[in-house]
Every structure is written in C-alpha cells, then in structure tokens.
Amino acid sequence: MTTTIVHFLVNGRPERAEFRDDCSAAEVKALFRAAAEASPRHVLKMFASDGRRMNISPKMQANDPESVYRLELVAADQSRVGMSQELDSMEDRLQHLESRVMEEAGGELLCDLKKQVESFKEKLESVEHLSWMGLFKEHGHQELSQKPKSLELSELEERLQVRRKYLNMSSLQVTEEVREHLKTPIFDNWQWEKAEMLMLLQVMFTDLDFLSAFHIKLDVLQNFLFEVSCHYNNIPFHNFRHCFCVTQMMYGLIWLTDLRSKFTRIDLLIMLTSALCHDLDHPGYNNVFQINAQTDLALLYNDISPLENHHCAVAFSIMAKPECNILQNLSNENYKLIRGGMIRCILATDMVRHNDILTQFRSLQPEFDFTNKEHKEVLMKIMMKVSDISNEARPMSVAEPWLDCLLQEFFNQSDTEKLKGLPVSPFMDREKVSKPSSQTSFIGFVLLPLFSELTKLFPCLQQHIVEPVQQALKYYSDLERAGREETSREETSRE
C-alpha cells in the first residue's frame, strides 16, 4: 500500500493531507473536511495549481509545496445537506462495484465503466454554479445564478465567440449618449461584456481620428484590439477589464483637458495605445515577487522593471503580425517615435519610478511648456500613471469592487510568498491588511499628491478626479476609525 501526500491551500493557509490508497472516498473527503475545519454541510471543491478542478478521491495525484492545490468550500442549503452525503455514499458503492466487476468481468469492461464514471465526475466538478443541486456560496447563502458559465467551451471557442460578437456589433452605431459618457471618469465599466468593451475601444480610436490620420484599416484595428484582449490573463485585477478602464480614463482625460489642441496626433496615439497595452500578459504577481523568486522575467530583464518590460515586448510582438500592425503605414521615423513613447509610458507605470517622475513633473510646473519635448514626455508619463491608478476617482459603486479584486490578487501573492519562503509584502498580507487601512495610506500618500499636481496644470480636473478621491479618503478613514473603536470596545469588554 502506498501513501499519498497532498499539499493544498484553504482560506489562504497551507495545509497537508496524507492517506493510503485503500481508504474510501468518504474517508478521504472527511480528512480534507477536517483539515479545512468544514462542517458536514460543506461541499469541497479542489483545484490544481493550473486551475483545473480535481476529484477528491483516494486516487488523487500527490503533489509538492511548489505545485500546491487549492481547496474551496461551498455551503449547501440546510435542507439539502443529504446531497453531499449521498455523493460520498455513491462513490463508495462505485468502488465496491469496481472490485466486483474486476472479479467477474475482467479489466476491459472495468476500463469502459471507469471512463463513464470519470466523465460524470468531470461534468460534476466543472459546474461553477451548483444551484441545480440546491447548493449555495458561503456569502450570505444567496443562491447563485442559474445561468451557467461557458466553462464547457475551450479557450479558443470562447475567444472566437467574443470575436464574432465584436465584429457583428462593430457595424452598429454607438449612441451619442454613450459616446459622451465614455469621455467621463464616471463611466461604469462593470455593465459591459468583453465584446462590447472591444467595440467601445474601437470608438475611442475612431473618435480621436486615428484611423484616417495614420491610415489604419478598420479590420487591422479590430484584429489588434482583439489580440490585445486575448493577451490579458484571467486574473482578479490585472485583466482585460482593468486594461479597458485605464484606456477609458486616458481617453476621458484627453477630452477633459483638451489635449487634442496641445499635443500632436502621434502623442495622443502613444498615450491611448500605451494605456491599452500597459499590463499585457500580467501574471498576477508584482515585480518584487518576480525578483525575489528569480523568475524567468526577472532574469531576462536583469531585475529592472521585469513586468513593464514584458508588457512592452508583448505589445510589439502583437504588432509584429501584419494583420494586427496598426503602425504598418507609418514612416520609420514616426514608428520609432511611437515605439519610444510607448516604452517610456509603460515603464512609467512601475511604482518604483513614481517619486522620481512626480518630482520631475513638480519641477516643471511653474513654467510648463507644451511645445517643449521634455515637458510633454513627462506629462505623458504622469497621465499614464494617473489613468493606471484612477479607480478611486470613479463612483464608489464602480471603485469598491475593484478594491476587492486588487486585494484578492495581493492576498494570492502573499499566500504564495509564504508558501515559497519568500519575503512577504506587508501591504499584501491578508493577516495584516484591511480594506480601509489599505486605501487610507495609498490615497493619502500616492493618489492625492499625484492627482493634485496634475490639477495644478489642468484646474478643470479638480471636480473630476481630486474631489472624488478626497471623498474616498474620507469614506475609508471613517471606516478605519470605526474599526479601531469597535476593536477598542471589544478589548475593554473582555477586561
């Protein structure tokens, strides 16, 4: 008999389970349930390190701490608790039948039956929303939507579906109301699906007159936008929706500050395209992690802004494809201008460079000159940085879900850092960080100084980005203060 050792994360903490191959399915599940401190009403779902759903059974594949699995708990409605017990019982009966079939019918029939059983298990495990079994998520025990996600579709099929939707709607006219709303920081990104966001990005490029100015064919622009969307990963924060938000904010700032009358068309193309490409193929782990873990990106770029260098490289690898090259009809001189400008803007999003860029911009403020090349390049970096971290300038209903996404990505990184024995970033540690505390410092020390400095050059931005951020700071400061008072009261009552 062999012993299987499984390393996994549950609720962010590392755990390990050991069991022999002669254990029953119910015994193995009981072991994981105990490790997870789960009640009998919980249904357990295990995910491999690559995101695949796994069957919890005695035949689970062993792993090591480097390829840790993830265990999630899904709570059943109390009236349906028996369902998970029935599933365990069913699996035990299947194991009993396996031994009977082996004795009486031989291996060929057993293999066929096992394939059918595994097929059923795969279908069961791939169901994201389990409401059809009377199961519910933990959050308030609210029933999940009956609408299934397209998990059955392959990644390629999903992409083709998005592309078809996008191209089908690209011939439609976007209303003037949406076009005008798209130019404002209060635009709500959450109500748009991927194909619609691609259509809105096309509107941005069209309304800034890039297609005629740079002889960009519509189908080439569409190919480029679609390829960019495909090169954003399905991670909590640095995904395609974030890319859309940053690009939309840049687009809005261009209109609000009337940069069309102050910058060349090439400058505007640099800014909008940089925003679009600024986080391409982001893995969900920041530069500090890349460097500490000595990843391939850190080694490739010698620890110098590995992610931002990678984002630039991916952007130009997309444009290296003739069918996606929106710069193909430009002169060599203009191509170099745009390439150099995009690299500067994207590298500026590395927060390691934040203070240097802000200090440089401050020094130019008293006599800023829109005709000065150096002045313009610094302003383009500032506009890129403001767009990249602009969520708190949006309405709270839009901004707060983004904070949840960001913290989820941060906590994922700190969990991995702990598992690998790497230094843990304090502002990412789920045991030390709360939503209010994470925002009060960031808004007070990063956002407001940056946004206020840009507003000195463009006073019209005061109401659009500074005042909303001030309101957000008050909101999170009040929450943080209330939390401290509650903690103090609890400590006093214990005494």
Side-chain angles (χ1 to χ4, degrees):
M1 294 180 190
T2 59
T3 298
T4 301
I5 300 176
V6 173
H7 299 267
F8 62 101
L9 286 174
V10 57
N11 294 327
R13 69 175 188 274
E15 295 285 354
R16 134 185 183 141
E18 294 184 26
F19 51 87
R20 296 183 309 180
D21 59 2
D22 63 342
C23 289
S24 69
E27 289 171 334
V28 173
K29 287 184 178 177
L31 181 65
F32 282 99
R33 186 170 279 113
E37 299 177 356
S39 69
R41 67 184 176 83
H42 285 101
V43 173
L44 309 181
K45 295 187 77 175
M46 186 73 79
F47 297 83
S49 56
D50 61 3
R52 288 181 297 107
R53 289 172 178 78
M54 303 178 62
N55 185 41
I56 298 176
S57 76
K59 297 184 179 178
M60 280 185 72
Q61 186 175 353
N63 66 344
D64 55 48
E66 297 299 312
S67 56
V68 65
Y69 299 156
R70 177 167 50 86
L71 182 65
E72 286 188 359
L73 311 180
V74 182
D77 182 5
Q78 289 293 341
S79 64
R80 301 295 297 272
V81 169
M83 179 66 75
S84 61
Q85 296 168 344
E86 286 177 22
L87 290 174
D88 287 346
S89 176
M90 183 192 303
E91 196 147 16
D92 285 338
R93 292 199 299 273
L94 284 170
Q95 285 190 335
H96 177 67
L97 283 172
E98 272 188 22
S99 60
R100 288 280 303 277
V101 171
M102 180 65 80
E103 293 172 6
E104 299 176 11
E108 188 174 341
L109 179 57
L110 176 63
C111 287
D112 184 59
L113 284 171
K114 286 179 75 173
K115 284 180 183 177
Q116 293 181 43
V117 170
E118 290 303 319
S119 174
F120 172 73
K121 287 177 183 175
E122 275 184 29
K123 288 179 182 177
L124 184 62
E125 290 163 359
S126 69
V127 177
E128 181 75 11
H129 301 307
L130 297 176
S131 54
W132 59 278
M133 284 174 57
L135 302 182
F136 301 79
K137 284 279 189 184
E138 275 288 355
H139 310 298
H141 302 292
Q142 294 178 346
E143 187 168 356
L144 292 170
S145 167
Q146 296 282 347
K147 182 181 178 182
K149 293 177 75 175
S150 53
L151 293 174
E152 294 81 8
L153 295 175
S154 69
E155 189 176 353
L156 177 60
E157 287 172 327
E158 286 187 48
R159 288 179 177 179
L160 291 175
Q161 189 178 75
V162 170
R163 182 177 174 81
R164 281 193 298 269
K165 280 186 180 180
Y166 166 41
L167 295 180
N168 285 340
M169 67 175 64
S170 66
S171 59
L172 302 176
Q173 285 295 317
V174 175
T175 66
E176 193 61 31
E177 181 184 7
V178 171
R179 276 186 142 90
E180 289 305 310
H181 194 48
L182 196 60
K183 298 173 183 176
T184 69
I186 62 173
F187 188 85
D188 184 357
N189 66 88
W190 295 110
Q191 62 178 299
W192 305 91
E193 63 177 51
K194 194 170 187 178
E196 293 169 329
M197 289 189 285
L198 285 167
M199 180 61 201
L200 293 174
L201 289 169
Q202 180 179 313
V203 167
M204 296 179 206
F205 275 77
T206 304
D207 284 5
L208 287 174
D209 201 29
F210 291 159
L211 276 70
S212 58
F214 302 109
H215 309 291
I216 302 171
K217 294 180 180 179
L218 180 59
D219 63 324
V220 173
L221 174 64
Q222 291 171 337
N223 291 336
F224 171 68
L225 294 176
F226 176 71
E227 274 299 304
V228 164
S229 74
C230 293
H231 282 78
Y232 276 91
N233 295 315
N234 185 23
I235 54 180
F237 185 86
H238 292 96
N239 48 42
F240 177 63
R241 191 173 295 276
H242 167 68
C243 146
F244 173 80
C245 283
V246 174
T247 310
Q248 185 270 323
M249 182 59 75
M250 177 68 82
Y251 179 72
L253 291 176
I254 288 171
W255 286 96
L256 288 171
T257 58
D258 194 26
L259 276 189
R260 293 173 305 137
S261 66
K262 302 176 178 70
F263 276 10
T264 67
R265 195 83 65 183
I266 282 183
D267 294 330
L268 299 181
L269 180 65
I270 288 170
M271 293 166 68
L272 197 73
T273 312
S274 296
L276 183 73
C277 299
H278 82 285
D279 271 332
L280 278 167
D281 197 35
H282 198 296
Y285 297 89
N286 71 6
N287 280 332
V288 173
F289 178 90
Q290 305 296 323
I291 293 167
N292 288 338
Q294 298 181 20
T295 64
D296 289 344
L297 288 181
L299 295 175
L300 178 63
Y301 295 110
N302 301 311
D303 295 350
I304 301 171
S305 301
L307 287 180
E308 290 72 22
N309 274 297
H310 180 60
H311 305 324
C312 292
V314 174
F316 285 97
S317 70
I318 291 173
M319 285 187 276
K321 303 174 183 177
E323 68 274 15
C324 300
N325 188 1
I326 60 172
L327 307 179
Q328 60 188 323
N329 292 320
L330 297 180
S331 66
N332 287 337
E333 181 182 359
N334 283 341
Y335 174 82
K336 289 178 181 177
L337 281 174
I338 292 173
R339 176 171 163 78
M342 284 182 61
I343 291 171
R344 279 192 300 274
C345 283
I346 294 175
L347 290 181
T349 62
D350 185 353
M351 288 303 292
V352 168
R353 305 168 189 254
H354 176 80
N355 288 333
D356 289 342
I357 295 172
L358 185 55
T359 300
Q360 190 178 10
F361 185 56
R362 280 196 181 113
S363 70
L364 302 176
Q365 277 281 38
E367 298 176 354
F368 191 90
D369 182 0
F370 282 98
T371 64
N372 184 300
K373 179 175 178 290
E374 180 189 351
H375 289 206
K376 282 203 307 181
E377 287 179 356
V378 176
L379 176 57
M380 289 164 74
K381 293 177 187 177
I382 290 290
M383 298 282 278
M384 184 70 236
K385 290 176 62 58
V386 168
S387 300
D388 188 24
I389 55 176
S390 61
N391 282 331
E392 293 303 333
R394 300 182 185 273
M396 188 60 68
S397 60
V398 178
E400 194 162 17
W402 275 117
L403 177 56
D404 294 330
C405 294
L406 182 62
L407 289 177
Q408 183 183 349
E409 200 168 289
F410 281 178
F411 293 160
N412 289 345
Q413 174 169 323
S414 64
D415 291 344
T416 305
E417 287 169 336
K418 292 174 185 177
L419 200 65
K420 291 180 174 290
L422 299 173
V424 177
S425 305
F427 64 92
M428 294 186 176
D429 193 336
R430 68 173 73 242
E431 297 173 6
K432 299 177 181 178
V433 173
S434 67
K435 282 174 68 171
S437 66
S438 70
Q439 286 307 90
T440 51
S441 298
F442 184 67
I443 294 174
F445 295 109
V446 179
L447 286 192
L448 271 178
L450 175 64
F451 287 19
S452 298
E453 204 62 40
L454 182 61
T455 302
K456 291 178 184 176
L457 185 61
F458 299 112
C460 62
L461 294 180
Q462 177 73 22
Q463 62 174 315
H464 294 291
I465 63 173
V466 174
E467 290 177 7
V469 167
Q470 289 171 334
Q471 292 166 9
L473 178 58
K474 182 181 184 308
Y475 171 75
Y476 286 113
S477 296
D478 290 345
L479 282 181
E480 188 175 22
R481 184 165 50 254
R484 286 197 301 266
E485 290 172 356
E486 178 65 25
T487 301
S488 177
R489 281 195 297 270
E490 289 176 355
E491 290 174 350
T492 302
S493 64
R494 282 197 294 268
E495 292 172 359

